Amino acid sequence: MLVTADWVLPIGRPPIRDGAVLIRNGTIAAVDTAKKLTVNYSGPRHEYPGCVLLPGLVNAHTHLAFTCLKGVIPSMPFAEWIRYIPIAFRSLSADDIVASIAHGAIKAIVSGTTVVADIAYGPESVAVAADSGLGGTFYWEVLGITPSELAETLYEREFPTDPIRVCSIRLRCGISPHAPYTSGPELIRAAHLIATAQHAGFAIHAAESDAETQLLTDGTGPLAQLAGRLAHGFTPPGSSTIAYLDRLEALNNAVIIHGAKVLPSDVPALARRAKGVVLCPRSNEYLENGKAPAWRFERAGVPLALGTDSLASNQDLDLFEEARALHAIEPRFDAHRLIEMITLGGARVLDMADEFGELAPGKQADLAIYRVPPTEDPYTALFDVGGRGSIEAVLSAGIWRVLSGAPIFGVSVIERASHLAAQKASLAVALDSPGL
Ligand SMILES: [Zn+2]
């Protein structure tokens, strides 16, 4: 099939006016001008005049299982907010969680995302993603256990132990000890060792809040009780989170989620050892965590990606909204760099750039197509209007998922199930804290 648009943004090379992408067997066969690719071509054509076409977007931090928690917990300081997450989540049945994941997958795809880095609580996320057309890395989250319970926990939660299953073309698995205040040092170290041995991804929420900084500095503050209950063996290291992870040898190839409280002295180690930092500016704002030193990361060469985080701390899963939020905080990131960050940059941080993030022969046929006003500057035009409101079509693995701005599959049953789950979660939170 041949897909044409007024502008094609391959990302790895300059924009192509009147461009086209030739697709065969779910992968990209060629990217060039429509004129060149139509010579001797007689197969199906999909034409998108008035549109910009680019690779499917990469959302480098999601919790799709929390999609039904949108609006359940209002904006508040992180250390208070996190208390409500288990209350809300425990109210959900296994079916509710599957509905919530499926609803999140739809929300991601209809805004142009085809790749996620998702915090998973079992195999459901991978299965739902595979069904919906999402690719990405799914990190099994562990917390509150001892290192000796890790292997059994992963086994019980059906973490794929066969290395071939851990790594397929579109779907990869990883391990994520949740955070330094819910996973003790030996658990973090053990999770990192297993991930490394399995060639699986490793991600951790780190340097997110002032409460976390306080806990690591002197063991006090609003997260101290939680750490005492869940982070077995934790003693305050008297250092930053990044220095702590480095000392645990858990920074190598780690995906650092948030990094809002990273110190200038931590940045060189991040640049040298981590896979990268996933910036989540809107979640940081929702939870009053301030702003990550994103430009300092950029200047030091820290690989950067963007993530929406979950709908428990954000309004939507639209990466263009996230990119515009980062631009508002740090205008030195221009449209070109931000669009690179939500495509190839994200794929690199996830170690999936061999398949995603760029329009190039041999890569996955994942396309996002947005309607934009007539322009000579497609990056700026797309940055200004890109998102759920301007999506025209989405293709993943060579299959259309969105056409004429709407999903090609029925979504009303999933939305209804997810809304019912949301009502249960709201009730559970209200019963715990009347008036919240
Ligand atoms: Zn998160």
Side-chain angles (χ1 to χ4, degrees):
M1 121 170 92
L2 191 72
V3 187
T4 70
D6 284 3
W7 287 100
V8 167
L9 308 186
I11 304 300
R13 57 195 180 97
I16 303 167
R17 186 197 290 270
D18 296 321
V21 183
L22 181 64
I23 290 161
R24 284 199 195 104
N25 301 324
T27 57
I28 295 170
V31 183
D32 211 322
T33 61
K35 199 172 173 185
K36 281 188 188 159
L37 291 184
T38 45
V39 175
N40 298 327
Y41 178 80
S42 57
R45 283 178 72 125
H46 299 262
E47 296 180 350
Y48 287 98
C51 290
V52 172
L53 182 162
L54 77 165
L57 310 184
V58 179
N59 190 337
H61 183 50
T62 61
H63 302 245
L64 295 177
F66 290 176
T67 301
C68 70
L69 301 187
K70 182 180 177 185
V72 168
I73 310 165
S75 174
M76 63 177 73
F78 173 80
E80 293 173 42
W81 171 89
I82 198 163
R83 193 174 83 76
Y84 293 102
I85 290 291
I87 296 166
F89 203 54
R90 271 199 303 266
S91 73
L92 305 177
S93 69
D95 285 349
D96 293 333
I97 292 169
V98 169
S100 189
I101 296 166
H103 196 197
I106 291 164
K107 284 177 174 290
I109 288 172
V110 297
S111 63
T113 293
T114 64
V115 181
V116 295
D118 190 54
I119 301 295
Y121 303 90
E124 304 84 1
S125 299
V126 190
V128 170
D131 283 351
S132 65
L134 282 180
T137 300
F138 294 79
Y139 299 96
W140 262 242
E141 186 173 81
V142 291
L143 59 107
I145 58 172
T146 64
S148 62
E149 295 167 315
L150 177 59
E152 183 70 16
T153 300
L154 290 173
Y155 176 77
E156 280 173 5
R157 288 212 250 137
E158 300 179 44
F159 181 78
T161 50
D162 176 351
I164 293 168
R165 289 182 59 210
V166 174
C167 184
S168 71
I169 288 174
R170 293 187 62 84
L171 300 166
R172 298 185 191 172
C173 296
I175 303 173
S176 176
H178 168 245
Y181 47 86
T182 55
S183 300
E186 293 308 317
L187 177 62
I188 292 172
R189 203 198 297 265
H192 189 268
L193 282 172
I194 291 184
T196 304
Q198 293 271 58
H199 303 290
F202 178 87
I204 184 166
H205 294 80
E208 183 175 3
S209 65
D210 286 330
E212 179 186 329
T213 302
Q214 184 181 353
L215 178 77
L216 268 78
T217 302
D218 60 14
T220 65
L223 290 175
Q225 207 185 2
L226 192 67
R229 194 157 48 83
L230 297 177
H232 299 290
F234 175 82
T235 53
S239 71
S240 70
T241 299
I242 299 303
Y244 174 60
L245 294 176
D246 205 10
R247 211 169 310 134
L248 295 175
E249 296 184 7
L251 196 57
N252 294 336
N253 293 321
V255 174
I256 299 298
I257 305 162
H258 293 294
K261 302 297 171 188
V262 167
L263 301 175
S265 57
D266 291 327
V267 175
L270 269 180
R272 272 198 304 275
R273 291 198 259 290
K275 272 284 169 209
V277 173
V278 183
L279 304 168
C280 306
R282 288 188 297 166
S283 176
N284 293 155
E285 188 185 357
Y286 195 94
L287 303 175
E288 302 179 20
N289 285 328
K291 298 160 189 167
W295 192 251
R296 188 181 287 276
F297 292 153
E298 178 82 348
R299 282 186 313 174
V302 177
L304 296 176
L306 268 176
T308 57
D309 210 340
S310 80
L311 291 194
S313 61
N314 206 342
Q315 300 304 312
D316 55 59
L317 301 180
D318 189 333
L319 272 178
F320 272 105
E321 294 293 349
E322 209 64 46
R324 287 188 283 266
L326 179 56
H327 180 73
I329 294 168
E330 182 44 85
R332 285 175 286 188
F333 288 111
D334 63 16
H336 182 277
R337 174 67 180 111
L338 287 162
I339 290 173
E340 196 269 348
M341 211 183 283
I342 59 176
T343 51
L344 189 55
R348 283 184 176 142
V349 168
L350 304 186
D351 220 0
M352 298 186 87
D354 47 346
E355 300 291 345
F356 298 111
E358 193 178 16
L359 301 178
K363 299 208 179 191
Q364 291 288 294
D366 284 30
L367 312 178
I369 302 169
Y370 298 88
R371 188 158 294 284
V372 298
T375 182
E376 294 298 309
D377 179 358
Y379 271 106
T380 300
L382 178 61
F383 178 72
D384 287 346
V385 304
R388 176 70 189 98
S390 59
I391 197 79
E392 182 63 29
V394 179
L395 186 85
S396 75
I399 297 170
W400 292 107
R401 314 290 176 174
V402 172
L403 285 171
S404 302
I408 56 150
F409 40 85
V411 300
S412 59
V413 173
I414 293 168
E415 285 176 344
R416 179 168 163 73
S418 180
H419 288 144
L420 289 172
Q423 287 172 9
K424 283 165 77 173
S426 292
L427 190 61
V429 169
L431 285 171
D432 185 83
S433 296
L436 187 68

